[in-house]
Amino acid sequence: MESVKTNQTDQLLEEIADYVLNKEITSEEAFQTAHYTFLDAIGCGILALNHPECTKLLGPIVPGTVVPNGTRVPGTPHVLDPVQGAFNIGTMIRWLDYNDTWLAAEWGHPSDNVGGILAVADYVSQLRQKKGEAAFTVEEVLEMVIKAHEIQGILALENSMNRVGLDHVLYVKIATTAVVTKMLGGGKEEIINALSNAWIDNSSLRTYRHFPNTGSRKSWAAGDATSRAVRLALMAIQGEMGYATALSAEGWGFQDVLFKGNQLELSRPLDSYVMENVLFKVSYPAEFHAQTAAEAAIQLHPEVVDRIDEIKEITISTHESAIRIIDKKGPLYNPADRDHCLQYITAIGLLKGNIVAEDYEDDVAKDPRIDELRDKMVVTENKRYTEDYLDPEKRSIANAVQVHFTDGTATDWIDCEFPLGHRFRREEAFPQIMKKYEANLATQFTAKQSVHIKKQSVDYDKIKEMPVTDFIELFLG
């Protein structure tokens, strides 16, 4: 009788490793979109440098440390080991909640992976160049960005971490681990070993995203995840062992211990679906489930701004996920709390006709009209919105806002199903993404520098063959 193999490697680990190593990405749309999401992520990181709460976390762990051939952190003088470099870049990108988004059973921000990918690309490329070898090109980096997006996003389609109290940055760690292990020279064995350790690592709780503990960790959690991925990848390259049934081991694997006995699955083959359908935050630095509410509120602003005192009620019709994570009543204690509050975001849109990152700071939040409007808001679920949110052919993120006045009149019911960053509005969005990129650059660089960076980076046919070391040098002043 044939013996049964009891330690067969988990299929999910095999599938991810095979995809990273062997799948050729042929979609021109995916590469074009990756170019935009890559520049957008860097621009969001540059904008975050204007915020001391972010910059205080950047730099080496030991002040004054400079690493030979180390990762250069865009917009800063820091030269760091790739693990700390990944933390720095990842934290910058994620700080303002302004980079791209993926919404499914699990939510997340796939360009969070750029922190680890760019850190490793710069480090490895410098080592290669020292030996007379070619650096990674930007196109090669974008391929890894596409694959990291795909791994994180396809895992998120059906496997909800939030339902078991875990944070989505676990998927950042998994995706980054897979692609940077390859970038460091790893084969299938090393990728699987690194991935198994990433799953065994456990995951952050969602504690810091919810009342009463909402706080700034949500702005550096992805940087932490992508940097941990780089550390595990480096260990695997050095020969550290892995664990074949890290997911499925009875009683001790991830699925039994942390996923309530459910099996992790990939609901569709890994290709480039996520990059092609990723959501851009084009106009407003706000949690993505509220983007269409922001658009609706801003559209209503001219009609209500002179009648704020006459408002009796504000109705918001939304989808179930928005109710579960950003429907908040009561005190909001900090910017991290406010930019994840559907009512706060809607109130700012109605009052100001725009939303910027500074609107979440204490000096703006002191305006008593904001909480007065929040108290008048009634949030309800629209079942069709929820269904369309989950429909893979639509992936809508719908909200509708209507304002009712004390004299019995009301505004139109402003319905917005697809935000500007949605795939259905991509051609409309791309020029605005570039304007956002330019505006972000202008906050840290001189006009001359900004023009140079834009000239060198926005043409995909020009940038794709650029060594990534040259790309990073554009942002070093």
Side-chain angles (χ1 to χ4, degrees):
M1 184 176 179
E2 187 178 29
S3 61
V4 177
K5 186 177 180 182
T6 59
N7 201 38
Q8 185 173 354
T9 302
D10 287 328
Q11 182 64 28
L12 182 63
L13 303 181
E14 295 265 5
E15 288 184 34
I16 293 174
D18 286 338
Y19 167 70
V20 170
L21 284 171
N22 302 318
K23 179 65 178 179
E24 181 184 1
I25 305 299
T26 59
S27 167
E28 292 184 10
E29 180 186 1
F31 275 100
Q32 180 192 37
T33 308
H35 176 220
Y36 280 96
T37 200
F38 186 58
L39 295 186
D40 183 54
I42 300 299
C44 290
I46 296 299
L47 182 63
L49 295 176
N50 294 281
H51 294 261
E53 291 300 303
C54 175
T55 56
K56 75 180 184 184
L57 300 177
L58 306 183
I61 294 174
V62 178
T65 302
V66 177
V67 178
N69 305 312
T71 293
R72 282 87 53 86
V73 180
T76 81
H78 303 312
V79 181
L80 309 170
D81 71 83
V83 177
Q84 186 65 2
F87 176 83
N88 276 236
I89 300 171
T91 295
M92 289 165 55
I93 288 170
R94 189 73 198 95
W95 191 262
L96 294 173
D97 198 6
Y98 210 4
N99 58 320
D100 69 12
T101 300
W102 184 251
L103 304 179
E106 186 54 60
W107 317 296
H109 306 271
S111 60
D112 291 345
N113 294 287
V114 171
I117 294 169
L118 191 58
V120 168
D122 189 36
Y123 166 68
V124 172
S125 292
Q126 290 182 76
L127 293 179
R128 286 182 179 180
Q129 289 172 329
K130 288 282 186 181
K131 296 186 289 186
E133 300 171 359
F136 283 110
T137 65
V138 170
E139 184 176 40
E140 290 173 317
V141 171
L142 293 181
E143 181 184 1
M144 293 300 100
V145 173
I146 291 168
K147 289 186 173 182
H149 272 60
E150 188 76 357
I151 295 165
Q152 179 177 344
I154 300 301
L155 280 170
L157 285 178
E158 301 291 344
N159 306 297
S160 175
M161 292 292 110
N162 62 79
R163 293 284 187 181
V164 295
L166 301 180
D167 195 29
H168 60 74
V169 296
L170 172 62
Y171 290 157
V172 174
K173 179 164 56 176
I174 299 303
T176 299
T177 296
V179 298
V180 301
T181 304
K182 177 186 177 180
M183 294 172 72
L184 287 162
K188 185 171 182 178
E189 180 181 0
E190 289 79 16
I191 293 174
I192 288 175
N193 289 348
L195 277 173
S196 67
N197 275 294
W199 283 107
I200 287 172
D201 245 6
N202 200 341
S203 172
S204 305
L205 303 179
R206 285 187 60 87
T207 310
Y208 47 85
R209 297 190 189 275
H210 299 279
F211 177 85
N213 292 297
T214 312
S216 57
R217 180 168 178 152
K218 75 180 185 64
S219 295
W220 57 261
D224 185 52
T226 199
S227 68
R228 179 63 177 166
V230 175
R231 180 72 185 106
L232 294 173
L234 287 165
M235 292 174 69
I237 295 298
Q238 293 166 335
E240 180 57 27
M241 68 176 288
Y243 302 87
T245 57
L247 300 174
S248 64
E250 185 176 354
W252 301 107
F254 179 89
Q255 292 172 165
D256 276 1
V257 176
L258 293 171
F259 207 44
K260 296 189 175 181
N262 297 310
Q263 184 172 340
L264 289 155
E265 295 180 347
L266 298 175
S267 60
R268 60 185 296 147
L270 295 169
D271 193 354
S272 55
Y273 172 81
V274 174
M275 183 60 77
E276 291 161 1
N277 288 278
V278 77
L279 302 162
F280 288 91
K281 290 188 178 180
V282 180
S283 303
Y284 315 114
E287 206 282 336
F288 211 93
H289 292 88
Q291 289 282 316
T292 50
E295 286 196 44
I298 288 166
Q299 187 175 333
L300 287 171
H301 165 75
E303 191 175 348
V304 305
V305 66
D306 295 326
R307 303 184 66 186
I308 297 298
D309 294 338
E310 302 173 43
I311 293 175
K312 178 182 179 182
E313 183 179 88
I314 302 166
T315 55
I316 303 175
S317 182
T318 190
H319 48 286
E320 186 273 338
S321 290
I323 291 175
R324 186 143 47 91
I325 63 171
I326 58 172
D327 175 10
K328 294 182 181 180
K329 297 178 175 64
L332 301 172
Y333 295 106
N334 51 52
D337 220 358
R338 297 169 194 134
D339 72 9
H340 274 57
C341 174
L342 177 63
Q343 292 91 334
Y344 186 94
I345 293 163
T346 304
I348 292 292
L350 291 171
L351 288 168
K352 300 184 65 177
N354 192 22
I355 301 170
V356 296
E358 288 73 20
D359 288 326
Y360 304 115
E361 300 296 337
D362 292 346
D363 58 339
V364 175
K366 288 187 297 187
D367 184 341
R369 298 177 302 167
I370 297 172
D371 284 341
E372 289 171 6
L373 290 184
R374 288 178 60 217
D375 289 341
K376 296 176 180 179
M377 292 182 186
V378 178
V379 178
T380 58
E381 179 188 359
N382 182 313
K383 296 292 185 182
R384 181 176 66 82
Y385 289 174
T386 298
E387 290 171 5
D388 289 351
Y389 173 89
L390 296 171
D391 185 337
E393 300 304 317
K394 292 183 178 178
R395 305 193 61 80
S396 73
I397 310 97
N399 283 281
V401 179
Q402 186 174 31
V403 178
H404 306 264
F405 299 103
T406 53
D407 65 2
T409 62
T411 66
D412 288 339
W413 191 70
I414 304 299
D415 168 90
C416 187
E417 294 193 58
F418 303 101
L420 184 57
H422 193 280
R423 189 183 189 183
F424 290 178
R425 298 175 66 184
R426 195 75 92 215
E427 294 307 311
E428 179 186 356
F430 279 155
Q432 299 304 315
I433 292 168
M434 285 298 97
K435 288 183 180 179
K436 173 187 171 186
Y437 177 58
E438 293 176 48
N440 290 345
L441 293 177
T443 67
Q444 287 291 315
F445 298 103
T446 65
K448 184 177 180 180
Q449 288 174 312
S450 295
V451 168
H452 177 67
I453 294 169
K454 181 188 174 187
K455 182 178 179 181
Q456 295 298 315
S457 62
V458 299
D459 183 341
Y460 176 68
D461 289 331
K462 182 175 184 178
I463 196 177
K464 67 180 183 180
E465 299 302 328
M466 180 186 290
V468 72
T469 46
D470 291 357
F471 174 80
I472 289 176
E473 285 168 7
L474 293 173
F475 302 89
L476 300 182

